Amino acid sequence: MKKNSDNFVTLRHLSTGEIATIRQLKGDVVTKQRLMALGIIRGQKISLDIQAPLGDPRIYSIMGYRLSIRNEDADNILISQQ
């Protein structure tokens, strides 16, 4: 599992049933705004519920709802695991 200098990993590395805290968003302004509009906000808890048979997309739980995120987008979300 690749960690950055702050010991954060990307959301893609979360395993089923694990809970993490969103720490930072990467990408351009449009990407960050789109993710924040979906509820991907620093400090929120997120967990991986379901993974597609081929691994993409994945369904996460955040703020009481389920959200499907492609791995490409999950790579822009840095988390710290619980």
Side-chain angles (χ1 to χ4, degrees):
M1 187 176 314
K2 185 178 179 183
K3 296 184 177 185
N4 72 4
S5 61
D6 295 320
N7 291 323
F8 299 153
V9 296
T10 65
L11 186 59
R12 182 192 286 214
H13 293 98
L14 197 62
S15 297
T16 304
E18 287 185 324
I19 299 172
T21 303
I22 297 169
R23 295 299 179 192
Q24 185 177 345
L25 300 179
K26 300 188 311 182
D28 59 25
V29 173
V30 174
T31 299
K32 289 178 181 180
Q33 287 177 337
R34 184 171 51 84
L35 291 171
M36 287 188 293
L38 294 171
I40 307 297
I41 301 167
R42 188 183 335 189
Q44 289 294 327
K45 303 286 187 205
I46 191 166
S47 63
L48 176 60
D49 289 344
I50 303 169
Q51 181 172 296
L54 297 177
D56 194 16
R58 297 168 159 210
I59 298 175
Y60 298 89
S61 287
I62 184 169
M63 297 187 332
Y65 70 95
R66 286 182 158 179
L67 177 64
S68 179
I69 301 176
R70 297 175 299 165
N71 286 338
E72 177 182 327
D73 291 324
D75 285 337
N76 288 316
I77 303 166
L78 297 177
I79 60 168
S80 61
Q81 293 175 287
Q82 304 296 301

